[in-house]
Amino acid sequence: MKETYTEAPQPIEVYDKCDVLVVGSGAAGHSAAIAAARAGCNNIVLMERYGYSGGDVTGGYVIMVPNLSWYDKSFVRGLQEEWFTRLAPIPGAVRGPALKDIGSQDPVLIDAWQSIHDCVSRGGFEGAKPSCLVRAVYYEPNQLKIEMDKMLLEHRDSIRVMYHSWGARPIMDGSTIKGVAFESKEGRKAVMAKVVIDATGDGDIFRQTGAPYSSLADGECRSSTTALVWRVAGIDWDQFEAWKRRRPQALAALRERLSKIAGFRCMPLPTNQNDMCWINNWHPNLDCSTVADQTRTEIETRDTMREVLAYLKEAVPVAFRHAYLYDIAPQLGYRCSYRLKGEYVMSANDFAFAKRHDDVIAWHSTICQINDCGPVEIPYRAILPQKVEGLLCPGRHLSADNVAIDWLNLIPQCVGTGQSAGVAAAVAVLDSTTTHGVDVGKVQDILVEQNVPLPRNKKFEEKDPSYRELIEDKQCGLYTNAAKAAAEQCLDAKSFRQDHNYASEEDDGQLV
């Protein structure tokens, strides 16, 4: 039995009241607040424990988003693409193939972009599409941090931002959430709301409501690793790429040696500029929701940074001779801990069979080789908790099993589900209905108006039928050997990775 202490009952001051409360201003929460305001809701509170928005993208230095396109179509648009159109005028803020070039099989362009990870489509298995340029974008996190604030300021009449406020627990009335108690320098207070969006990434709110949820992802998955990213400047990435192409055996030895020095897998990855890289890392079998594992990740990573950098300078002097530690991410790199068990749980079948959902709210190309990285439909039910009313749960803790979560908890899917949650919350408030009773058709129409592609939507089809034509022409779904294998046998995460070399150590940046 653990020793306990009982707090004396005390009243909590109601700090604010709103229609929509978003807890967490990471990629999902920030998108939810912006989307809700643009959908017509003018009484929104955005609560964030840090002093900035963006979460992993701005604080954890996950400074690229992969696979936003499939063939020549950009499937992940909306607020995700808006980030880059807003950053584009800023010199050096973004780097990646232009929208007009996606799908190009020009061998000269492919060779030029091959050195920038994920800017060229994945292959290596039978049935894969030909190599082509992919909309994958690298960005400067501090510039994005500034831009995300600017987006909030544009909606200052609708969104009240509460930085340095940690959402601590839900305020429940039976099975309906009525608000959230939070902690700050002002002490414990409460914000009451008609709809609450849990965008904490770890289910900090929904885990305390009575909604079903799952714990850590499969131990073989990328999602069961933690990270603390750091950046190195004074390098020449082009020279490093040339070195890697000339010396594949030396590259394999470098990977192995860096892992031994650090005590966990780590590897340099490109950034938005040639003279800087980021060192991504994967601490296996750690839980980013526990104090002990969070602390261990931070200390062990920093403890080995000097040694890792010194070895890079010695082993690859042509690229790292003048390298130096530029900065360390201000927050831990989170991948997965708790996951919602929503009204629908996504699985590998959604990818292998291209399952259709009437309540689709995001239609995303993802990193998943069993469907050749093609688009998958994410339903509204995957962010809708069971047994609890008034709550939506977008982001990396959305409802998915321990295999599918690896393909669904990246930044684009956080933005996409966050944007849809914001629109759904706004519609629920404006129509005076519940989160379970919301008019999903209306939500879909508004999302299309917000530049989100959606299948079988009349407004989208009238505007651009070429997306449907591409899906039909390329037979998205059960057509790769990997997909057929998944359909013919029970999909086991470990055996699938072994059979198809998915997320192996030989592909250090396959999923960040």
Side-chain angles (χ1 to χ4, degrees), residues 286-316:
L286 295 186
D287 185 341
C288 63
S289 65
T290 69
V291 172
D293 286 358
Q294 288 177 318
T295 303
R296 177 180 170 183
T297 303
E298 296 256 12
I299 291 178
E300 289 187 356
T301 308
R302 287 193 290 266
D303 185 48
T304 59
M305 287 177 182
R306 292 170 181 161
E307 288 77 8
V308 167
L309 181 54
Y311 185 74
L312 284 170
K313 294 174 73 170
E314 180 181 4
V316 197

Side-chain angles (χ1 to χ4, degrees), residues 138-179:
Y138 291 75
Y139 44 86
E140 165 52 47
N142 292 305
Q143 292 288 359
L144 182 57
K145 188 182 294 185
I146 293 170
E147 202 62 37
M148 295 179 94
D149 274 349
K150 288 183 178 295
M151 294 172 73
L152 294 172
L153 289 171
E154 290 169 4
H155 297 283
R156 57 168 59 90
D157 292 338
S158 300
I159 303 172
R160 299 186 294 285
V161 181
M162 293 173 55
Y163 285 155
H164 302 287
S165 302
W166 190 311
R169 64 175 178 83
I171 299 170
M172 303 296 294
D173 181 4
S175 60
T176 300
I177 190 167
K178 294 294 186 178

Side-chain angles (χ1 to χ4, degrees), residues 267-290:
M267 194 65 188
L269 293 175
T271 70
N272 56 297
Q273 54 194 69
N274 189 60
D275 63 351
M276 184 183 294
C277 68
W278 58 305
I279 309 297
N280 201 3
N281 45 86
W282 299 262
H283 295 253
N285 300 312
L286 295 186
D287 185 341
C288 63
S289 65
T290 69

